[in-house]
């Protein structure tokens, strides 16, 4: 076993695509659950609207489903909303080789991107991430 610090282990995890995929899935499912709560839609009702089983909807929310864009669009449509996907400038470089170029370019003081409410979201549902120095 290595003697890595938590910060080192977290930095390694944060550099992996899987870490970011999980963040997107969590943000999406959080948004779906918030929309369902606002509309008074149960999991059984969402399943009915999707033409699938309640077990499948439960699978979507417990993290064992691999979301496709098609599935995400169907869920959004079932809730009477649109799916919005976009790219945002990351708070830190995604890959180690990008760090040098990220430090050389000018970056605004803060970058905003959609985030779950528990990440300190503003009223408009966006969180402020610190910029790359």
């Amino acid at each position: 076993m290595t003697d890595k610090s938590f910060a080192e282990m977290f930095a390694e995890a944060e550099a992996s695509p899987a870490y970011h995929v999980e963040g997107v899935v969590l943000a999406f499912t959080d948004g779906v659950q918030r929309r369902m709560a606002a509309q008074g839609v149960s999991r059984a009702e969402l399943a009915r609207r999707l033409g699938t089983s309640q077990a499948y909807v439960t699978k979507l929310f417990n993290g064992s489903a691999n979301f496709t864009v098609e599935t995400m669009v169907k869920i959004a449509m079932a809730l009477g909303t649109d799916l919005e996907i976009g790219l945002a400038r990351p708070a830190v470089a995604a890959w180690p080789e990008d760090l040098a170029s990220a430090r050389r370019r000018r970056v605004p003081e803060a970058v905003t991107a959609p985030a779950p409410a528990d990440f300190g979201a503003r009223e408009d549902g966006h969180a402020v991430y610190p910029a790359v120095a």
Side-chain angles (χ1 to χ4, degrees):
M1 186 163 171
T2 64
D3 290 331
K4 291 183 183 178
S5 70
F6 177 79
E8 291 170 323
M9 290 186 290
F10 185 79
E12 284 180 16
E14 196 173 34
S16 80
Y19 172 88
H20 296 278
V21 167
E22 289 303 316
V24 169
V25 169
L26 286 172
F28 178 74
T29 56
D30 179 65
V32 170
Q33 289 176 340
R34 287 175 185 272
R35 181 65 59 147
M36 288 171 63
Q39 294 180 9
V41 174
S42 67
R43 288 183 179 193
E45 174 60 17
L46 181 61
R48 187 192 67 73
R49 292 179 184 185
L50 292 171
T52 189
S53 68
Q54 189 174 349
Y56 177 73
V57 171
T58 298
K59 182 179 174 181
L60 293 173
F61 290 121
N62 73 14
S64 60
N66 184 11
F67 284 95
T68 64
V69 173
E70 182 178 2
T71 299
M72 294 167 79
V73 168
K74 286 178 181 178
I75 293 168
M77 290 176 68
L79 295 171
T81 188
D82 292 325
L83 176 65
E84 196 172 283
I85 298 176
L87 298 176
R89 196 175 294 159
V92 295
W95 303 104
E97 58 270 13
D98 293 339
L99 288 174
S101 65
R103 288 188 179 121
R104 286 192 299 270
R105 69 176 185 259
R106 291 184 150 275
V107 179
E109 294 217 2
V111 177
T112 61
D118 61 349
F119 196 86
R122 302 182 319 213
E123 285 183 23
D124 64 0
H126 286 69
V128 177
Y129 297 88
V132 176

